[in-house]
Amino acid sequence: QVQLVESGGGLVQAGGSLRLSCTASGRTFSNYAMGWFRQAPGTEREFVAVIARSGGVTSYGDSVKGRFTISRDNAKNTAYLQMNSLKPEDTAVYYCAAVSGSYYYAPTDADAFGSWGQGTQVTVSS
C-alpha cells in the first residue's frame, strides 16, 4: 500500500483559506486516484473531493463546491486541497486517501479507498 501523510491543517478565521497537502510514498503515486474526506466529532466521514490519476477528472462534495479545489503534482508525489471561504462548519479532521484504478477512476465512496493518512485538524473560528 501507499503511505500517506497530510499537512497544512490549523486554525483559521471564517472566510480565510488553507491549503492541505498529502504526500505519498512507497508506491508509484501516479497510479492512484486521490481523495479527501473529513470527519467532525459525532458525525460520519464525509466525502470532500477526489482527483483521478489523469488529473483531468475531479469531483466535489456539495458542501464544498465552488470553495475547495483539489489538485495533484505527480512529480512531487503530492495531492493538494485548496480551501477558500472557510466556514465554521468546515471544522473537522481531514483525511487523504488513495486508490489504484483506471486513468479516469475517481470514486466518491470512502469504502473504495484502500490507503489512508492519519488526518490533519482544520478548525475554523467564527
Side-chain angles (χ1 to χ4, degrees):
Q1 289 186 340
V2 63
Q3 285 78 50
L4 305 173
V5 178
E6 302 98 334
S7 61
L11 174 64
V12 63
Q13 289 189 332
S17 298
L18 281 175
R19 188 177 79 156
L20 304 183
S21 299
C22 174
T23 302
S25 62
R27 291 290 187 269
T28 303
F29 179 71
S30 59
N31 287 344
Y32 290 84
M34 300 298 297
W36 286 96
F37 294 79
R38 66 187 183 186
Q39 188 167 21
T43 69
E44 294 186 353
R45 191 164 293 191
E46 176 188 7
F47 167 71
V48 175
V50 64
I51 185 166
R53 289 174 54 192
S54 66
V57 177
T58 58
S59 182
Y60 296 90
D62 289 341
S63 61
V64 307
K65 281 180 182 177
R67 299 188 298 123
F68 291 11
T69 302
I70 189 170
S71 62
R72 65 189 297 155
D73 185 338
N74 288 345
K76 295 183 177 180
N77 292 345
T78 301
Y80 303 97
L81 185 69
Q82 178 66 45
M83 306 186 294
N84 298 330
S85 301
L86 282 161
K87 305 174 182 179
E89 50 263 45
D90 293 318
T91 295
V93 177
Y94 283 71
Y95 299 89
C96 72
V99 58
S100 60
S102 64
Y103 202 54
Y104 300 106
Y105 182 52
T108 61
D109 186 346
D111 290 340
F113 291 82
S115 298
W116 291 83
Q118 82 289 349
T120 186
Q121 177 71 46
V122 171
T123 302
V124 184
S125 63
S126 56

